[in-house]
Amino acid sequence: MEKLKQAGMSRVDIFQSEGHPIVYGEWLGAPGKPTILVYGHYDVQPVDPIDLWESPPFEPTIKDGKIYARGLPMIKDRCSCMLKVLKHFSKQLAALRSI
């Protein structure tokens, strides 16, 4: 949530659901302008049957010099990139408004 705040979101919240929580951030500082939606989801294999897995669930494991992990968002890299773009945009917008 801190990353969303740093990116300039005016509202940041976590909504509980029957499944995974929903992370939400918004900035509504440009009425009448187009909306940008950034969406990501978790795509995780269930823990059971646990005896079929070679490593513990939700813990990164190094095997043959590679990192294996379950339970990560599929678009983590794209979310990080988008947050950096939003943060930069927010700073530029603030600079333009001060002119």
Side-chain angles (χ1 to χ4, degrees):
M1 289 187 46
E2 190 59 35
K3 296 281 186 191
L4 286 170
K5 291 176 185 175
Q6 291 173 358
M9 300 296 104
S10 56
R11 177 181 173 198
V12 177
D13 212 337
I14 294 182
F15 298 102
Q16 297 303 321
S17 71
E18 291 182 21
H20 296 288
I22 299 165
V23 179
Y24 178 84
E26 72 178 20
W27 176 80
L28 302 174
K33 300 296 180 187
T35 298
I36 297 172
L37 171 67
V38 179
Y39 169 80
H41 67 279
Y42 290 97
D43 190 11
V44 180
Q45 293 291 323
V47 173
D48 290 320
I50 192 129
D51 57 323
L52 296 180
W53 294 99
E54 296 177 10
S55 61
F58 317 116
E59 292 180 28
T61 302
I62 298 174
K63 181 179 174 182
D64 299 324
K66 297 179 183 176
I67 300 174
Y68 294 84
R70 295 187 279 152
L72 298 174
M74 291 179 67
I75 65 164
K76 185 176 182 181
D77 57 338
R78 286 176 270 169
C79 284
S80 297
C81 181
M82 184 56 71
L83 286 171
K84 289 179 189 251
V85 168
L86 291 171
K87 184 176 181 180
H88 179 74
F89 175 77
S90 178
K91 286 182 179 180
Q92 295 300 314
L93 186 61
L96 288 173
R97 288 185 173 165
S98 66
I99 296 177

